[in-house]
Amino acid sequence: LFRSQVYTSSQREVCVTSVDGRTVTRMSVEAGVRTVQIPIQRIPSGVYNFTLTEKGRVVENSRIIVR
């Protein structure tokens, strides 16, 4: 389980992609949510990109290492 602290004043979207650009998971985040939990149990080991967008603009971008 991966958790990220976010504060949403409007609806946002979280997207996790592999380093080759393939979307692994995508989820909507409702306004007012402070923590996002992404289940990673079924994701193979590797490096992934975590992107938080709001209205189509990137708000946060980071890397996740799944072991």
Side-chain angles (χ1 to χ4, degrees), residues 37-57:
Q37 295 184 21
I38 301 170
I40 58 172
Q41 294 86 345
R42 294 186 208 137
I43 298 175
S45 296
V47 178
Y48 297 88
N49 295 312
F50 167 86
T51 305
L52 177 67
T53 58
E54 178 179 21
K55 299 177 184 173
R57 298 183 69 201

Side-chain angles (χ1 to χ4, degrees), residues 12-59:
R12 294 182 177 184
E13 182 178 75
V14 168
C15 185
V16 177
T17 56
S18 60
V19 290
D20 64 0
R22 184 178 47 89
T23 299
V24 175
T25 189
R26 182 183 303 265
M27 61 192 315
S28 294
V29 181
E30 297 298 320
V33 171
R34 292 176 119 14
T35 303
V36 175
Q37 295 184 21
I38 301 170
I40 58 172
Q41 294 86 345
R42 294 186 208 137
I43 298 175
S45 296
V47 178
Y48 297 88
N49 295 312
F50 167 86
T51 305
L52 177 67
T53 58
E54 178 179 21
K55 299 177 184 173
R57 298 183 69 201
V58 175
V59 176

